[in-house]
Amino acid sequence: MPQGQFSIILSLIGSILLFILVLFLAWFCTRWIGKRYGLRGSAGGSKIKILDRMALGADRSLIVIRLEDRVWLLGMTAHHINKIEELDPEVFAEEAFSEEENAHGVSAMLSSSSNFAAALKNALKGWTSEKKNEKDKFDE
């Protein structure tokens, strides 16, 4: 094998090894940062669970969280978190899915989105009726 081809092959192998090293370091740093700052595969701690999230804009979202046996709908912006409504925990009852459904996540995603839609509808219904009652009291 001529000297020129040997150096090209060595250069190619070195480039591939360098690329693999960069990928490994990126993976390692991501895991290290995640552990250091408490980020886990599922957001939240052992007591607080984020059940659903809906983005409303670049830095605005609605979040449904569960803390033990209570469920809340929260509004979140870049600077504030506001409690909008306490929701019925039965609407967000934890359902057991088969391992195959969990692996694909389709049933879980469809179930949580329908639960979120129902809870949001109930919260808005209660919120609009409260505002109407406040307006009626103000008009009197």
Side-chain angles (χ1 to χ4, degrees):
M1 185 171 354
Q3 183 69 19
Q5 285 182 344
F6 184 71
S7 66
I8 291 174
I9 290 174
L10 235 102
S11 176
L12 181 63
I13 291 172
S15 297
I16 290 172
L17 290 176
L18 185 62
F19 180 70
I20 291 171
L21 178 67
V22 168
L23 287 178
F24 174 75
L25 288 174
W27 172 79
F28 179 77
C29 288
T30 303
R31 288 185 48 98
W32 179 75
I33 289 170
K35 286 179 183 177
R36 180 176 172 100
Y37 293 104
L39 304 174
R40 293 176 177 81
S42 62
S46 60
K47 301 277 186 192
I48 299 174
K49 293 186 180 179
I50 296 176
L51 301 177
D52 208 348
R53 174 177 294 187
M54 178 182 213
L56 301 176
D59 62 345
R60 296 178 179 148
S61 61
L62 291 174
I63 297 177
V64 177
I65 66 163
R66 175 188 303 275
L67 175 61
E68 294 180 357
D69 61 340
R70 300 176 83 178
V71 177
W72 286 293
L73 175 64
L74 305 177
M76 217 169 89
T77 66
H79 302 287
H80 298 284
I81 298 175
N82 294 321
K83 177 184 159 199
I84 296 175
E85 184 79 26
E86 185 166 351
L87 303 174
D88 182 16
E90 293 176 5
V91 173
F92 287 93
E94 293 188 30
E95 301 171 6
F97 298 108
S98 70
E99 288 181 18
E100 182 179 315
E101 289 173 330
N102 278 337
H104 298 295
V106 175
S107 295
M109 184 174 68
L110 291 174
S111 173
S112 68
S113 64
S114 63
N115 285 345
F116 182 79
L120 181 60
K121 188 175 184 179
N122 287 338
L124 289 176
K125 189 185 303 179
W127 183 71
T128 54
S129 65
E130 288 175 12
K131 292 295 180 186
K132 185 177 179 183
N133 290 341
E134 288 177 12
K135 184 182 177 205
D136 290 344
K137 288 179 183 177
F138 183 72
D139 290 341
E140 292 176 356

